[in-house]
Amino acid sequence: MVSRVIPVDVFDLVVFGGTGDLAQRKIIPGLYRRYWGGHIPPESCIIGAARSDLDDAGYRALAREAIIEYVAEDKRDPEIIEAFLARLSYVAIDAKGTGGWDKLKARVRKGTVRAFYFSVAPSLFGDLAERLHLHGIANPESRIVVEKPFGRDLESAKALNAVLAQHFTEAQIYRIDHYLGKETVQNLMAVRFANILFEPLWKSEYVDHVQITVAETVSVDGRGSYYDRAGAMRDMVQNHMMQLLCLIAMEPPYHFDPDAVRDEKLKVIRALDPVSPDDIVRGQYLAGNGQGSYLEHCEDPASKTESYIALKVNISNWRWKGTPFYLRTGKRLRARTSEIAITFREPPHSIFDDAEGWRENVLVIRLQPNEGMNLKVMIKEPGPGGMRLTQVPLDMSFAEALGESGADIPDAYERLIMDVIRGNQTLFMRGDEVEAAWSWTDPIIEGWEERGDKPMPYDAGSSGPEDALMLMHRDGRRWREIRE
Ligand code: NAD
């Protein structure tokens, strides 16, 4: 199966923070891959803008290094690289200063899609938005892309929204959550709403519980003091995991349209119950395998910030009342894996005597590694030994099932940037969605801060703190094993 290439319109994309880590690791290599794939018209321009004193040649050299480092060899065609680099230029600009803006204004063309990627600290978003207007660089059709973190609580998220709203309408603002750009995450919507098979069962009557796991093996070493101001709840749950939960739990939108989808997600967030302290387990990894502990990495021996969190979340609406969603995420765990597992209930009555062999149906949606789906179903154990039951996976790896085009799943960032150029906001968070997510998150965090709760230690390379196991055991359930 060959993927259909639908090029976007000619665009001018200004990457503020174009020399930074994100631009070099994700944005520039991602744009190159789309150029290589024929999605980007050759007349398009990418303009790096940052504080460093570089010229166009210097910026192209930086971009060439990024392509060599982060693009797979089979896509590194010297001719295409040169043609792509020729579309790049650079303007030295301080977001808080006055220099460089007129030069930038002269670079952006009339009649092309104009987008500004704010790949800088959120504290600079307001300065950039203001100066883009002051210098007449942004027009009513321009789009801005803003990075996470979008606030650290409701108040700061509201302030950020307000600052952006002074100069841009909601339809111009693209708040990135790169999880939404992952192939499998979008497939979640296709699986639910393009098949008749699952939707009738997609409710508490048939679903026993849902597990969402985002496990990482890496530590926070090198960015510990930054991470310590956030923790797993702010860094992963409030945004990425919340988005996954919404896509699983939302009602079918009337159309695959940005506001229709986001309206449904918002309703889910508003229906989330407050989480009781008994339903939260937080942890900090210990030293192990030659690496330091969380407390060493964050350089604060008294830190109470969590590098792991597990929580049981209930949704109070007709569809989900009685079906808990168990969320867990952490650093320095046994394996790097992200998955959603939907466990169905027992059949109402078994006609088979083999109760022991019976297992629940589970639909597992893997986000990484090996994006794909796996449905566990019961069959008869082969052989003449009577009617015994066994469970087998109906396994679908997207890479295998879709052949060449499946093996070439684009990175989330490149897909999302193409959506910005197309003007499609479906996979971006709306301002009210972000604020609703913080409204749910804030009291949970305030609760443990007021109580002075200390995270439980857990072994590096383990599945997290022991207490997290109990969170499910006491409900007669168990976590799925964390493995690649
Ligand atoms: P970085 O520190 O590596 O780069 C920051 C960039 O901003 C540099 O190009 C720098 O020159 C520029 N800059 C700094 N101050 C400036 C100013 N006053 N005026 C103009 N430019 C200025 O940061 P990063 O890791 O690339 O992160 C950029 C944004 O993306 C941040 O909001 C971050 O939270 C977010 N983000 C990054 C990652 C990642 O993997 N790096 C992941 C998710 C979100």
Side-chain angles (χ1 to χ4, degrees):
M1 192 192 297
V2 178
S3 75
R4 284 167 289 176
V5 175
I6 306 169
V8 295
D9 290 338
V10 177
F11 63 85
D12 288 333
L13 172 67
V14 179
V15 184
F16 289 108
T19 57
D21 175 67
L22 184 69
Q24 297 299 307
R25 272 191 317 114
K26 295 286 183 185
I27 303 173
I28 297 295
L31 285 164
Y32 167 76
R33 278 191 290 264
R34 288 306 94 213
Y35 190 84
W36 176 89
H39 284 146
I40 296 184
E43 306 80 28
S44 300
C45 290
I46 297 152
I47 305 153
R51 269 195 309 194
S52 318
D53 192 16
L54 281 176
D55 58 11
D56 293 347
Y59 191 60
R60 287 180 188 138
L62 207 62
R64 182 182 282 111
E65 278 170 33
I67 293 169
I68 291 169
E69 188 161 357
Y70 296 109
V71 174
E73 203 175 347
D74 62 343
K75 295 193 178 73
R76 293 200 311 253
D77 178 318
E79 249 177 61
I80 302 180
I81 293 181
E82 290 316 311
F84 173 76
L85 292 176
R87 307 313 304 165
L88 263 61
S89 64
Y90 182 80
V91 180
I93 270 185
D94 186 332
K96 291 183 175 293
T98 50
W101 295 97
D102 289 339
K103 195 171 166 191
L104 180 61
K105 187 176 181 182
R107 290 272 169 99
V108 290
R109 296 165 292 175
K110 280 208 175 80
T112 55
V113 174
R114 206 175 283 179
F116 303 94
Y117 199 128
F118 291 6
S119 182
V120 295
S123 57
L124 298 175
F125 290 176
D127 297 298
L128 290 177
E130 191 183 334
R131 280 165 179 72
L132 283 173
H133 265 268
L134 197 69
H135 295 273
I137 303 172
N139 60 29
E141 284 79 45
S142 301
R143 291 138 209 187
I144 57 167
V145 185
V146 295
E147 264 300 333
K148 83 163 210 182
F150 202 87
R152 71 182 312 277
D153 53 21
L154 178 61
E155 197 187 334
S156 52
K158 275 186 167 171
L160 263 184
N161 274 335
V163 129
L164 296 178
Q166 280 176 20
H167 304 289
F168 294 93
T169 64
E170 186 59 37
Q172 294 180 283
I173 305 171
Y174 290 72
R175 294 175 193 79
I176 285 233
D177 183 328
H178 70 271
Y179 260 62
L180 286 177
K182 286 182 185 285
E183 184 76 15
T184 326
V185 173
Q186 292 171 68
N187 239 320
L188 247 176
M189 283 187 276
V191 165
R192 282 194 63 193
F193 304 130
N195 297 290
I196 190 73
L197 205 59
F198 298 112
E199 201 51 27
L201 304 179
W202 215 258
K203 51 175 123 170
S204 61
E205 211 179 327
Y206 298 106
V207 176
D208 178 71
H209 73 277
V210 177
Q211 294 185 26
I212 305 179
T213 301
V214 177
E216 295 179 287
T217 50
V218 291
S219 70
V220 300
D221 198 13
R223 59 183 201 110
S225 53
Y226 165 81
Y227 183 90
D228 201 50
R229 289 196 295 275
M233 185 73 176
R234 286 191 173 96
D235 192 49
M236 293 299 292
V237 178
Q238 184 272 345
N239 38 49
H240 306 318
M241 298 184 85
M242 173 75 80
Q243 291 295 325
L244 299 181
L245 181 146
C246 284
L247 294 175
I248 302 270
M250 72 183 192
E251 295 299 316
Y254 72 90
H255 191 247
F256 190 59
D257 154 279
D259 276 328
V261 171
R262 296 185 301 177
D263 284 347
E264 296 306 336
K265 288 198 289 168
L266 181 62
K267 284 185 211 161
V268 174
I269 302 174
R270 289 191 173 145
L272 296 178
D273 283 350
V275 181
S276 134
D278 296 341
D279 290 338
I280 304 170
V281 175
R282 296 189 311 133
Q284 283 176 342
Y285 59 81
L286 294 168
N289 308 336
Q291 289 195 43
S293 66
Y294 178 77
L295 292 178
E296 284 158 348
H297 288 160
C298 77
E299 294 169 19
D300 175 4
S303 167
K304 290 179 182 166
T305 303
E306 73 285 355
S307 62
Y308 173 100
I309 187 165
L311 55 166
K312 177 179 168 184
V313 178
N314 291 303
I315 306 175
S316 273
N317 63 18
W318 272 43
R319 190 187 278 266
W320 292 117
K321 189 81 192 172
T323 296
F325 283 59
Y326 297 93
L327 276 44
R328 66 179 160 165
T329 181
K331 306 278 181 198
R332 290 290 275 140
L333 296 176
R334 181 188 298 266
R336 175 173 178 260
T337 177
S338 299
E339 65 165 39
I340 300 163
I342 294 139
T343 302
F344 292 88
R345 292 192 193 279
E346 286 181 36
H349 164 69
S350 172
I351 63 166
F352 302 107
D353 295 332
D354 183 17
E356 260 179 45
W358 185 83
R359 300 278 176 279
E360 307 105 335
N361 296 127
V362 185
L363 175 66
V364 181
I365 297 149
R366 277 192 315 270
L367 276 66
Q368 67 187 19
N370 306 327
E371 300 196 52
M373 287 191 345
N374 177 322
L375 177 63
K376 297 212 164 126
V377 294
M378 298 306 300
I379 60 161
K380 176 190 166 295
E381 198 173 283
M387 191 63 184
R388 286 205 308 271
L389 300 176
T390 189
Q391 192 172 55
V392 291
L394 294 180
D395 204 340
M396 189 178 105
S397 148
F398 293 158
E400 276 173 30
L402 302 177
E404 255 178 52
S405 60
D408 193 24
I409 293 173
D411 180 79
Y413 276 94
E414 49 197 274
R415 180 193 312 277
L416 292 171
I417 296 172
M418 292 300 97
D419 275 359
V420 172
I421 306 300
R422 285 192 193 99
N424 185 343
Q425 288 185 307
T426 311
L427 299 175
F428 296 84
M429 293 178 297
R430 209 168 54 192
D432 52 0
E433 221 183 307
V434 177
E435 290 183 13
W438 281 121
S439 296
W440 176 78
T441 311
D442 275 4
I444 300 174
I445 296 176
E446 281 159 19
W448 72 57
E449 282 178 354
E450 272 163 28
R451 292 189 300 275
D453 294 352
K454 276 180 74 175
M456 326 277 300
Y458 63 93
D459 288 332
S462 72
S463 300
E466 290 284 314
D467 283 25
L469 300 179
M470 289 313 297
L471 186 72
M472 289 200 78
H473 277 188
R474 60 169 206 225
D475 293 346
R477 301 178 175 115
R478 62 163 69 163
W479 291 108
R480 287 168 50 77
E481 199 183 324
I482 295 181
R483 60 184 167 137
E484 281 192 7

